[in-house]
Amino acid sequence: MTLDAADLTALIGLCREQIEQHCERLGRLDSAIGDGDHGANMRRGLEAVYRERDAISALPLPVALERIGLVLVMSIGGAAGPLYGTLLMELGRGLATGEEEADFAAILAQAVAAVARRGRSGPGDKTLLDVLYPVQAEIAGHAAPLRIAECARNAAQATEMMLARRGRASYLGERSIGHEDPGASSCALLATTICQYFQEHAPS
């Protein structure tokens, strides 16, 4: 499925709506192992993107993704802003330099690797990467959108039993076990929202 301006506008609105609806939950998750502001930070970031939705959606998709990434970096703050921003900006750059029938899974893999470098994290560190890695693998395997969404939710839930090795949560040591990572949770929420849109708007 290719994205046109209407699709991108709709997705920006849906992602903003879902973050707004789950803002308090994300804050509670972050309060358990962080400073409690992840929900508010994500809401601020998505609101900033939403305010620019018309201008963003008028851009070619690669440029639009880079712009969304830049807005998120400037507006989210904390650790999440640079990570989400890196993901979107690298996706945009990859799509801009790729062939006409670019392999999105390969471009996503490069973007996820850039996030890992930026956060100096890897699989099992209890971060949003623990959602991004399995989601990318499902996409590479040509899984259906709803399967990818299920994978994202399960991956976020799996961070509950992980020991945090990066960020403020890592200072808690073993006390970080038993709490779902807020970054993984917001990542799964956004991935699920996008996948559900693709499922509902797939060509018949």
Side-chain angles (χ1 to χ4, degrees):
M1 177 180 173
T2 57
L3 290 178
D4 59 21
D7 291 320
L8 191 54
T9 300
L11 280 168
I12 289 171
L14 289 169
C15 288
R16 169 199 178 233
E17 179 182 302
Q18 287 300 308
I19 290 296
E20 175 65 32
Q21 289 181 6
H22 293 84
C23 180
E24 290 187 8
R25 176 178 178 272
L26 293 173
R28 288 194 301 271
L29 290 174
D30 196 32
S31 292
I33 58 175
D35 50 17
D37 62 356
H38 185 65
N41 286 347
M42 291 298 296
R43 178 170 59 187
R44 184 169 61 248
L46 271 294
E47 286 288 348
V49 174
Y50 185 76
R51 286 194 296 270
E52 292 193 26
R53 66 192 182 281
D54 292 335
I56 288 171
S57 298
L59 298 169
L61 182 59
V63 182
L65 292 176
E66 285 198 66
R67 179 58 191 170
I68 292 171
L70 183 60
V71 171
L72 293 179
V73 169
M74 294 188 299
S75 58
I76 290 181
L83 298 182
Y84 276 113
T86 295
L87 179 69
L88 272 295
M89 287 189 284
E90 289 296 325
L91 280 175
R93 291 166 187 156
L95 289 172
T97 59
E99 300 176 359
E100 185 174 349
E101 295 298 328
D103 181 354
F104 179 74
I107 293 171
L108 178 59
Q110 293 174 355
V112 173
V115 173
R117 290 192 298 271
R118 183 65 181 264
R120 298 179 182 178
S121 302
D125 283 347
K126 199 181 181 91
T127 71
L128 58 78
L129 284 165
D130 291 305
V131 171
L132 290 175
Y133 282 121
V135 163
Q136 189 279 330
E138 290 290 340
I139 292 172
H142 305 288
L146 293 184
R147 167 61 192 156
I148 299 169
E150 181 184 16
C151 170
R153 291 191 297 269
N154 290 342
Q157 291 169 4
T159 64
E160 181 175 339
M161 301 313 297
M162 292 179 182
L163 174 71
R165 296 190 177 91
R166 302 299 303 173
R168 292 176 63 94
S170 65
Y171 302 150
L172 297 176
E174 292 190 358
R175 287 181 293 158
S176 66
I177 298 173
H179 302 283
E180 184 175 322
D181 180 69
S185 183
S186 65
C187 187
L189 181 63
L190 293 171
T192 297
T193 301
I194 294 167
C195 288
Q196 288 176 338
Y197 182 86
F198 281 177
Q199 179 68 31
E200 293 168 4
H201 295 82
S204 56

